[in-house]
Amino acid sequence: MAKGEGAESGSATGLLPPGILRGEENGRTQKVGIKKLTICSKVCYAVGGAPYQITGCALGFFLQIYLLDVAQVDPFSASIILFVGRAWDAITDPLVGFCISKSSWSRLGRLMPWIIFSTPLAVIAYFLIWFVPDFPRNQALWYLVFYCLFETLVTCFHVPYSALTMFISTEQGERDSATAYRMTVEVLGTVLGTAIQGQIVGKVDTPCIQDPDIIMEEVNQTQATTSLNDTKNAYMLAAGVIASIYVLCAVILSLGVQEHREPCEKKQEQPPSFFRGLRLVMNHGPYIKLIAGFLFTSLAFMLVEGNFALFCTYTLGFRNEFQNLLLAIMLSATLTIPIWQWFLTRFGKKTAVYLGISSALPFLILVALMESNLIVTYVVAVAAGISVAAAFLLPWSMLPDVIDDFHLKHPGARGHEPIFFSFYVFFTKFASGVSLGISTLSLDFAGYLTRGCSQPEAVKFTLKILVTVVPIGLILLGLFLFKLYPIDEEKRRENKKALQVIREEAGSSGCSDTDSTELASIL
């Protein structure tokens, strides 16, 4: 590794006394307290990632259509609900991270109680989002309240679940393996959410408007009397099925995963100050460079995701193929996640980032240049799933490496893991909100026709720019930022070795005697 790259890329060996680093030479090579995770534990942990993806996919693809066509909320109020809900969703992540960082360990752990007690309330709030109340005057307020409430409660589930990665094992390899299981289940969750919501709700088709000059009264009079009640019941049925899956996954997670405490973490240790912890986290160079790179690449993929349905419908002319194309992408991503897991362990995570995310570029260029062709579109969809798998897996696989590097540079700092994960999720959701705003404003300026059977050429061209040109630029910018990310495979191995020596020293010095008793009672 080249020297002089900055403080954050310096060798971890300089942080420890030479006597400690000679531990292996002195015969202290026994690993203390390291236990392999069973396949059952990894599967139970991975299942906990499904609720967030299933509900998020259903809300992301269907909530806007539901508000406009089923609940019949006016477009201005619907836009307020969507924007405020996304903004509040982003804000709740650091707030929940703050609350978790101030919480203490219990018999269930420090993170698991948040997951357990938020689940029933989240399920109720989710079901009420898809319920049409009898009072039409305050419907917008109803959906705004329950949308924001659900986003808060699902954050209370997802942020501690994300941080749980650091507490299921102290071994990087075990955490990476568990993360691969989790990403596979999460991608399957997106497929499941799309399939459940799409198949149940798709029974009722809303006809488009052939002539944009027709007054909406005629369409409303012919459709409101025929299928509106069936459509409402279909949405509630889909919500009930998804809510049941949410509860089942939470039960499996809580029963099948044990939260482990760091060996040398003091039992009487007070929770860290949030603002002091936030300052430490945001001053950690590798973390800033990692989230900056993934911020731009996430924004690129979210622009494609947010405009995928409109692009298929109006630019490519495949109105009835959207769900099938999405299914092809997600199935491809699911099947290739194990391949990316093998690749990153063999060739390194930075190499996987460059190859995995950049693999989307030629297919985006092909989509921009080709004419409408269904077979070619399916090929591109399957190929795009390979890059989507990398975008799913790599951030969550690299974050634990950043936290390990942080622990080496701040040996006395404990309890900051929720801050790392919550602010990464915050920036990801911020990117989602930005992509939604850019897309909506761009289409509005281009002259988008609501529920039109066809769109002006300016709208088709704008959709092609949003799905191809802009994501290509964002991906290139994100890859440039990844070039500055200092934790390569050499640095990661140094950190792993240094942390293992610290844990061996902690075990031999007996600093975890009190915690071993507490951990035994938890187990």
Side-chain angles (χ1 to χ4, degrees):
M1 182 176 64
K3 296 183 179 180
E5 292 181 85
E8 67 268 19
S9 59
S11 174
T13 58
L15 299 172
L16 299 173
I20 294 180
L21 292 176
R22 287 196 297 266
E24 291 184 355
E25 299 174 3
N26 294 334
R28 290 176 292 150
T29 58
Q30 296 178 351
K31 298 185 180 296
V32 178
I34 297 176
K35 294 182 180 180
K36 293 284 187 179
L37 291 175
T38 64
I39 294 179
C40 180
S41 296
K42 294 176 183 178
V43 171
C44 291
Y45 168 74
V47 167
Y52 182 79
Q53 297 299 332
I54 294 175
T55 57
C57 184
L59 289 169
F61 284 112
F62 294 95
L63 182 59
Q64 185 177 27
I65 298 175
Y66 169 79
L67 291 174
L68 294 174
D69 294 348
V70 181
Q72 297 183 343
V73 177
D74 63 274
F76 178 75
S77 299
S79 65
I80 292 178
I81 294 170
L82 295 172
F83 276 103
V84 173
R86 292 289 184 92
W88 177 251
D89 187 22
I91 294 172
T92 55
D93 287 289
L95 291 177
V96 172
F98 167 74
C99 295
I100 294 174
S101 68
K102 303 295 287 186
S103 60
S104 302
W105 282 82
S106 67
R107 293 188 60 190
L108 296 174
R110 188 172 67 171
L111 304 175
M112 199 63 73
W114 289 82
I115 295 173
I116 294 173
F117 294 113
S118 66
T119 295
L121 298 176
V123 167
I124 295 173
Y126 179 79
F127 185 81
L128 292 177
I129 291 175
W130 305 102
F131 175 76
V132 180
D134 293 333
F135 43 89
R137 179 170 299 181
N138 295 319
Q139 276 189 351
L141 181 61
W142 170 280
Y143 292 113
L144 179 61
V145 168
F146 284 108
Y147 186 30
C148 292
L149 179 60
F150 171 74
E151 294 295 351
T152 303
L153 293 168
V154 78
T155 299
C156 291
F157 182 103
H158 189 62
V159 169
Y161 171 75
S162 301
L164 191 62
T165 308
M166 298 300 298
F167 296 96
I168 58 176
S169 176
T170 57
E171 276 292 283
Q172 288 180 343
E174 291 299 300
R175 295 196 304 241
D176 290 343
S177 177
T179 299
Y181 276 79
R182 169 191 167 186
M183 292 303 114
T184 302
V185 172
E186 288 194 351
V187 175
L188 284 173
T190 62
V191 177
L192 188 60
T194 304
I196 292 174
Q197 195 84 5
Q199 294 300 318
I200 295 178
V201 174
K203 297 177 181 179
V204 180
D205 295 327
T206 302
C208 58
I209 302 175
Q210 296 288 346
D211 187 353
D213 295 328
I214 295 178
I215 304 299
M216 291 292 296
E217 297 173 4
E218 298 181 12
V219 179
N220 289 336
Q221 289 175 358
T222 57
Q223 293 184 2
T225 57
T226 55
S227 61
L228 186 58
N229 289 333
D230 293 337
T231 306
K232 292 178 182 178
N233 293 332
Y235 272 98
M236 291 178 62
L237 177 60
V241 174
I242 291 176
S244 300
I245 296 175
Y246 192 120
V247 173
L248 179 62
C249 292
V251 171
I252 294 174
L253 173 65
S254 60
L255 295 180
V257 176
Q258 294 290 343
E259 185 179 350
H260 299 280
R261 201 168 184 176
E262 280 286 348
C264 59
E265 187 178 351
K266 303 296 185 182
K267 182 177 180 180
Q268 67 274 15
E269 183 179 13
Q270 294 296 324
S273 168
F274 174 76
F275 293 104
R276 180 178 177 275
L278 179 61
R279 186 165 56 251
L280 286 175
V281 169
M282 290 304 171
N283 286 332
H284 191 55
Y287 180 65
I288 295 300
K289 292 169 184 175
L290 181 68
I291 63 174
F294 277 116
L295 176 64
F296 287 103
T297 55
S298 297
L299 181 57
F301 284 102
M302 288 176 184
L303 275 173
V304 177
E305 177 188 8
N307 297 281
F308 186 75
L310 295 175
F311 179 73
C312 290
T313 300
Y314 297 116
T315 304
L316 298 181
F318 303 140
R319 177 180 293 273
N320 297 323
E321 294 292 332
F322 158 61
Q323 293 181 1
N324 296 329
L325 288 168
L326 180 63
L327 187 63
I329 293 175
M330 292 306 171
L331 286 177
S332 173
T334 303
L335 295 175
T336 51
I337 278 183
I339 299 176
W340 283 119
Q341 172 64 16
W342 169 84
F343 186 91
L344 66 87
T345 56
R346 179 72 181 272
F347 300 101
K349 297 179 183 180
K350 286 190 71 172
T351 304
V353 166
Y354 290 127
L355 183 61
I357 295 180
S358 63
S359 64
L361 295 177
F363 301 107
L364 291 175
I365 295 173
L366 178 61
V367 170
L369 299 178
M370 74 175 186
E371 297 294 331
S372 178
N373 186 297
L374 184 59
I375 296 178
V376 175
T377 303
Y378 269 104
V379 173
V380 171
V382 172
I386 300 174
S387 188
V388 170
F392 261 92
L393 173 65
L394 292 171
W396 300 108
S397 181
M398 297 171 76
L399 265 177
D401 298 336
V402 173
I403 297 175
D404 286 342
D405 187 75
F406 176 83
H407 284 163
L408 283 173
K409 291 178 173 58
H410 305 279
R414 294 291 175 186
H416 297 86
E417 292 83 1
I419 300 177
F420 277 98
F421 285 95
S422 64
F423 270 88
Y424 171 73
V425 177
F426 167 80
F427 286 118
T428 303
K429 292 179 179 178
F430 172 78
S432 175
V434 170
S435 67
L436 178 62
I438 291 175
S439 302
T440 304
L441 290 176
S442 300
L443 294 176
D444 186 39
F445 291 148
Y448 179 80
L449 303 175
T450 303
R451 292 173 60 189
C453 290
S454 62
Q455 297 292 337
E457 290 299 322
V459 173
K460 298 179 181 179
F461 178 77
T462 301
L463 286 169
K464 179 169 285 191
I465 295 296
L466 291 172
V467 172
T468 57
V469 178
V470 177
I472 289 172
L474 292 171
I475 288 175
L476 292 175
L477 181 57
L479 292 176
F480 170 75
L481 293 173
F482 282 126
K483 182 70 175 177
L484 306 176
Y485 177 68
I487 303 178
D488 55 13
E489 281 304 293
E490 181 182 355
K491 178 68 181 298
R492 192 171 75 89
R493 284 193 293 267
E494 290 177 359
N495 288 350
K496 178 181 179 180
K497 181 179 178 180
L499 282 172
Q500 186 55 47
V501 172
I502 291 177
R503 291 185 177 113
E504 291 176 3
E505 288 292 315
S508 61
S509 64
C511 75
S512 59
D513 289 342
T514 57
D515 281 293
S516 62
T517 303
E518 180 188 12
L519 183 58
S521 67
I522 294 175
L523 294 174

